[in-house]
Amino acid sequence: MKSIVSDWNGTIYKEVDETKTYKGIALAYRNRLIRKVIHLNPIAAGKLVKLLIDKKEIEKAKSEYDNGKRKLEEVYKEFNERIVSKLDSSSIMKAVYDISTENKNKVDKRLLESFKEIRKLRKIQVGILSVAYETAIFCTLLETDYQEVFYYPKITDPDVLRRVKEKELTEEDALERYGEGASEYHIIGDKLIDKNGKDVDESPYAKHEGPLKFALRTYRKKGIFLEDEFARKRGYSQITYFGDTEDDLSCFDYVTSNRGRVVLPFFLIERAVNDVKSREFLRKATEKYNAFVPKDEADLKNFLDKD
């Protein structure tokens, strides 16, 4: 093993999907309308009534998706058109920050501590690949103080690079002292975009051409993103991948075809006790991909250290 990539929902983060995050965004829209109604705005009162209808339609779409009757793309379309398109980027960002604060205790510290320790011991790369909103992932990690596990400084100053090459500075010292300008977090998730496809997260408080929407860019494409964003762009190899749903199977295929391994997360193992679908996925992953199923945190750390 030379690198680790993990899914987010149901793997590092207990919630199996983005429902809680998007409910928080819808709540932000409702609260904005209520404030306007209080100030006797008749148009806002009408919109508030319509929001109740929209809420039922979105919940219906999500229920039908959960029962295999609708596609996730259709659920996102409903949510984008009925809620997200009515909000500006600052309102969405504030809602996301608030939700991240409320849900910070839902991360699996057994996984995060294992990633933190193995990165320190073996200097391997660790990243996240998810359908979840990228900014929400980062905010939650920030609230739990685990963002550094996925942080990678870079050196771009020619003089510093020269000093490293001539051994005046070690690469480690150079990164610590000068590696801020082109630093990045190895977190790939969904994006909030404007009507021109521009990434809103790059300048969240600037004025954007609406309506805004969530792109759902990695869904059913995670294997492609794993290869392009991690293997090719960031140099990940012999990847150990953590995932818990059918959407991760393309990543399982990729890593097992490229000298990597599959590990099943604790949250999946715990869900499998009472959930038939999770139990079937666990069985499939172990039989087809020889996935490792850790007994506890110590067992996982031992596996990562020896793999």
Side-chain angles (χ1 to χ4, degrees):
M1 177 189 69
K2 292 185 178 180
S3 51
I4 292 172
V5 177
S6 177
D7 176 45
W8 177 253
N9 286 116
T11 301
I12 295 176
Y13 188 60
K14 192 169 186 177
E15 299 292 336
V16 296
D17 58 33
E18 288 290 85
T19 300
K20 289 281 180 71
T21 299
Y22 295 153
K23 278 186 176 180
I25 292 170
L27 186 63
Y29 179 45
R30 187 201 70 176
N31 291 343
R32 190 175 79 170
L33 291 176
I34 288 174
R35 285 193 295 271
K36 290 184 177 181
V37 170
I38 290 171
H39 289 88
L40 305 178
N41 184 320
I43 296 176
K47 288 182 177 179
L48 192 58
V49 172
K50 186 176 183 304
L51 177 60
L52 297 175
I53 299 171
D54 289 338
K55 179 176 179 290
K56 288 181 179 180
E57 288 299 317
I58 294 167
E59 288 174 347
K60 179 184 175 183
K62 177 61 168 57
S63 177
E64 289 175 347
Y65 164 73
D66 290 339
N67 292 311
K69 296 178 181 179
R70 294 191 75 167
K71 295 179 180 179
L72 187 60
E73 293 91 336
E74 294 175 310
V75 181
Y76 267 68
K77 186 174 185 293
E78 293 278 359
F79 182 67
N80 280 328
E81 290 180 356
R82 295 177 184 272
I83 303 296
V84 181
S85 64
K86 311 289 177 43
L87 291 166
D88 56 34
S89 57
S90 60
S91 298
I92 293 172
M93 294 300 170
K94 185 180 185 307
V96 168
Y97 292 146
D98 291 344
I99 296 158
S100 300
T101 302
E102 292 171 11
N103 295 321
K104 64 182 180 181
N105 293 325
K106 292 186 178 182
V107 299
D108 194 336
K109 292 186 178 181
R110 295 166 296 183
L111 277 192
L112 290 168
E113 284 293 331
S114 298
F115 295 166
K116 183 178 180 179
E117 185 175 306
I118 199 66
R119 184 179 171 188
K120 184 177 181 181
L121 287 172
R122 293 177 54 180
K123 309 294 184 185
I124 66 171
Q125 293 178 295
V126 184
I128 291 173
L129 173 60
S130 178
V131 174
Y133 181 32
E134 196 172 288
T135 296
I137 295 172
F138 176 75
C139 290
T140 305
L141 290 170
L142 196 64
E143 286 294 325
T144 56
D145 205 27
Y146 280 106
Q147 75 280 2
E148 294 298 318
V149 176
F150 308 95
Y151 174 72
Y152 293 85
K154 289 184 179 180
I155 305 167
T156 56
D157 188 309
D159 184 57
V160 176
L161 289 169
R162 176 192 60 76
R163 291 169 66 191
V164 171
K165 185 177 180 180
E166 295 176 1
K167 301 191 183 304
E168 293 178 22
L169 275 174
T170 65
E171 185 174 359
E172 190 173 88
D173 285 343
L175 285 169
E176 185 175 342
R177 292 164 61 182
Y178 304 105
E180 296 297 330
S183 61
E184 65 173 353
Y185 289 89
H186 288 189
I187 301 171
I188 303 296
D190 199 19
K191 293 286 190 181
L192 182 66
I193 60 174
D194 66 15
K195 74 172 187 178
N196 297 318
K198 184 178 179 181
D199 181 2
V200 171
D201 299 279
E202 289 183 355
S203 51
Y205 297 104
K207 186 175 181 180
H208 298 278
E209 291 193 49
L212 305 181
K213 68 176 182 178
F214 286 106
L216 195 60
R217 65 176 188 149
T218 61
Y219 181 58
R220 293 183 176 174
K221 299 175 184 176
K222 290 179 77 174
I224 296 171
F225 273 84
L226 183 65
E227 183 174 3
D228 290 347
E229 292 291 335
F230 289 94
R232 291 179 181 169
K233 186 176 178 180
R234 294 170 174 83
Y236 280 54
S237 63
Q238 294 181 34
I239 300 167
T240 293
Y241 186 87
F242 290 70
D244 73 309
T245 67
E246 296 287 325
D247 199 38
D248 293 303
L249 294 181
S250 59
C251 295
F252 289 7
D253 287 329
Y254 177 81
V255 300
T256 53
S257 298
N258 290 276
R259 301 169 64 197
R261 288 293 305 272
V262 172
V263 178
L264 301 181
F266 295 116
F267 285 148
L268 170 68
I269 298 165
E270 290 159 1
R271 291 199 309 271
V273 174
N274 298 310
D275 180 63
V276 175
K277 188 176 180 181
S278 296
R279 191 156 57 244
E280 176 58 23
F281 183 83
L282 191 151
R283 183 196 63 77
K284 180 179 180 180
T286 52
E287 290 181 2
K288 183 176 180 180
Y289 299 100
N290 190 31
F292 177 67
V293 183
K295 298 180 182 69
D296 52 31
E297 186 179 343
D299 191 33
L300 175 59
K301 287 182 176 179
N302 184 58
F303 170 82
L304 294 177
D305 189 40
K306 291 183 177 179
D307 188 41

